[in-house]
Amino acid sequence: MPVERTSLFAGAGARLEAAAEIAAVSGDTLERLRLPQSVLKVSVPVRMDDGSLRTFPGYRVRYDDTLGPTKGGVRYHPSVNADEVQALAFWMTFKCAALDLPFGGAKGGIAVDVKELSLAEKERLTRSYVSRIADFIGPDVDIPAPDVYTDAMVMGWMLDEYSKIARGFTPAVVTGKPVPLGGSLGRDTATADGAFYALGTIGRGAREDPRDGEGPTAAIQGFGNAGARLAELLAGAGYRVVAASDSTRAVHDPGGLDVAALREAKDSDGELPASAGEELDPEELITMDVDLLVPAALEDAITEENAGEIRAGTILEVANGPTAVPADAVLEEAGVRVIPDILANAGGVTVSYFEWAQNRAGLRWSAEEVRDRLRARMTGESARVAELAAEHDVTLRTAAYALALGRISAANDALGTAKAFGA
Ligand code: NAD
């Protein structure tokens, strides 16, 4: 019987079908992946600074644990809902498998506008959420990490709260922690670093020769943790970052923005300074005439409506799900190369894996060791995805899903259950 799927999650599932055509995948595996393994919805009560009590909806979805304990971030955002968390958990399943990590996929979130909370309220919110989901997570079960509007400090609170409940210091229960609490060196920059390695391995698409000989150009939507760091790496590699945006505004300078100054202003004021360049309609950033477009904010930045107007040669998907499914075909038709989210932004979960491994082994790796391992993993798997895409003449997205699906299927089939019934 068909399962009713809606919006984001429906889109997530649609991409599996294309991948299943070229991957060696069993029917059992596809059947298992139709639905999330478990979905938890909780109320998160918080005592506010003024003495009142407020309750926020919280979620944790474990999508599939065929390859290992499930792994995925926790998002604090007003638009968080069950469908979004489910789609994000689905993407995490394929991201971990595409990078050959020993993890399944999960995601969590709270529907809350943290900009309205004090730091103490945010801490109480986090501890309340952990106490609600404590039976659902654990170093061998499900391991949260940061996502939009959660950071290392939030992970430190989660570790502390979980350790109290578990009656023992349990650093491997979350990743992306502060380094003094068992976090890994290199985790804070891992997502952007990984995206940069993926871009370096796969290369830019059709427009290998920038038009005016002044270096390639880039536009960054979402100048946050990942977007700002990537902008710095691109600028260091000779790109002109001509446009950037955050939730307050978009700025544009054809001569190239001063990325370091932008980052400093964003860190101190929490928003991009209007004085950085000409103000730009944030929608226009997506369709600018640049070599590289980097969506690094939220889902569905590129839709069926604006995809046809995109002039960038390559899209590097740092955000999760920035391209709506119907836009895939429009971009493919137009020859725009898309380095897909499950590969492009997998550096974060890869270094999260390194952090978890260090915690469990009681080791601390140097920044160089982390960087070398990340580079090797990202370049190796990016090259594999590119090869698969060329071999089957499919998009990089379909190839990344196929690589992941093949790995999940091999693990599933290794249990031999279908064979026992002669299937
Ligand atoms: P962040 O909160 O640090 O940054 C998000 C930025 O996007 C903020 O600057 C915000 O102002 C901006 N933004 C929000 N709405 C916008 C809009 N409509 N237009 C333009 N900008 C907008 O979050 P982050 O950690 O950098 O994550 C960004 C994206 O990358 C998310 O999709 C996240 O899931 C994905 N991602 C992050 C990591 C990680 O390790 N940080 C790992 C994998 C994927």
Side-chain angles (χ1 to χ4, degrees):
M1 198 178 38
V3 173
E4 197 185 318
R5 288 195 176 123
T6 51
S7 57
L8 267 185
F9 182 56
R15 284 177 176 150
L16 259 195
E17 285 152 29
E21 284 178 20
I22 64 158
V25 58
S26 63
D28 271 16
T29 302
L30 286 177
E31 179 61 17
R32 268 177 185 273
L33 290 170
R34 276 191 329 129
L35 291 173
Q37 185 172 309
S38 36
V39 178
L40 181 68
K41 182 173 180 190
V42 295
S43 66
V44 184
V46 182
R47 180 69 58 197
M48 307 302 282
D49 291 346
D50 66 3
S52 65
L53 185 76
R54 284 186 65 189
T55 313
F56 301 90
Y59 307 87
R60 187 76 192 165
V61 173
R62 300 183 62 222
Y63 199 89
D64 178 76
D65 69 352
T66 304
L67 291 174
T70 51
K71 187 91 196 74
V74 176
R75 176 175 293 196
Y76 292 171
H77 194 275
S79 67
V80 162
N81 60 67
D83 176 64
E84 181 188 61
V85 179
Q86 200 164 296
L88 289 161
F90 175 93
W91 286 320
M92 281 306 298
T93 305
F94 288 88
K95 193 185 299 183
C96 292
L99 269 288
D100 208 11
L101 307 179
F103 289 137
K107 204 78 182 192
I110 306 177
V112 58
D113 186 354
V114 275
K115 289 180 182 169
E116 287 177 356
L117 302 188
S118 69
L119 191 63
E121 287 169 341
K122 189 168 158 184
E123 177 175 353
R124 291 197 288 273
L125 174 88
T126 302
R127 290 183 183 276
S128 179
Y129 176 65
V130 171
S131 75
R132 292 296 208 219
I133 65 166
D135 290 335
F136 210 65
I137 61 174
D140 290 315
V141 184
D142 177 32
I143 306 134
D147 191 67
V148 175
Y149 295 125
T150 54
D151 56 14
M153 186 184 275
V154 172
M155 295 305 117
W157 295 328
M158 285 194 176
L159 158 64
D160 190 49
E161 191 64 29
Y162 185 86
S163 295
K164 278 184 197 158
I165 294 166
R167 297 249 166 233
F169 188 63
T170 319
V173 70
V174 289
T175 58
K177 301 177 290 289
V179 173
L181 291 174
S184 179
L185 295 171
R187 175 62 184 86
D188 51 345
T189 59
T191 300
D193 295 351
F196 191 66
Y197 295 139
L199 177 67
T201 308
I202 290 175
R204 272 181 290 113
R207 292 182 177 171
E208 291 297 347
D209 297 316
R211 284 137 289 168
D212 49 14
E214 286 182 25
T217 52
I220 317 272
Q221 184 206 39
F223 203 78
N225 286 333
R229 163 77 181 169
L230 185 71
E232 278 181 348
L233 291 172
L234 292 173
Y239 277 77
R240 261 182 304 140
V241 177
V242 294
S245 67
D246 66 3
S247 56
T248 48
R249 63 177 55 86
V251 288
H252 174 222
D253 183 345
L257 296 161
D258 181 344
V259 172
L262 275 192
R263 189 154 194 197
E264 220 168 90
K266 173 90 181 163
D267 285 347
S268 64
D269 308 334
E271 59 184 59
L272 286 173
S275 58
E278 298 158 29
E279 281 239 19
L280 183 74
D281 175 352
E283 259 301 300
E284 273 180 47
L285 182 143
I286 300 290
T287 56
M288 278 180 71
D289 190 10
V290 285
D291 296 290
L292 182 68
L293 172 65
V294 182
L298 296 171
E299 297 87 23
D300 289 350
I302 298 163
T303 61
E304 204 174 6
E305 282 72 49
N306 64 13
E309 293 165 44
I310 286 184
R311 287 178 285 169
T314 301
I315 298 174
L316 182 62
E317 292 187 337
V318 168
N320 283 306
T323 306
V325 173
D328 282 353
V330 182
L331 296 173
E332 188 180 1
E333 177 74 12
V336 179
R337 175 178 299 198
V338 179
I339 305 181
D341 49 4
I342 63 167
L343 179 67
N345 70 30
V349 71
T350 300
V351 176
S352 273
Y353 162 51
F354 298 161
E355 181 175 330
W356 177 82
Q358 289 171 77
N359 293 155
R360 291 173 69 98
L363 296 174
R364 284 179 189 269
W365 296 347
S366 68
E368 291 68 37
E369 189 163 0
V370 172
R371 194 193 51 221
D372 291 350
R373 284 174 185 264
L374 174 64
R375 189 194 294 118
R377 180 78 61 152
M378 288 300 304
T379 52
E381 299 306 330
S382 298
R384 239 167 240 126
V385 168
E387 265 167 40
L388 201 59
E391 187 187 326
H392 294 277
D393 192 22
V394 293
T395 62
L396 293 165
R397 188 182 322 276
T398 297
Y401 271 92
L403 183 65
L405 199 50
R407 286 174 175 152
I408 297 170
S409 188
N412 226 333
D413 300 347
L415 295 172
T417 317
K419 281 201 195 86
F421 289 89

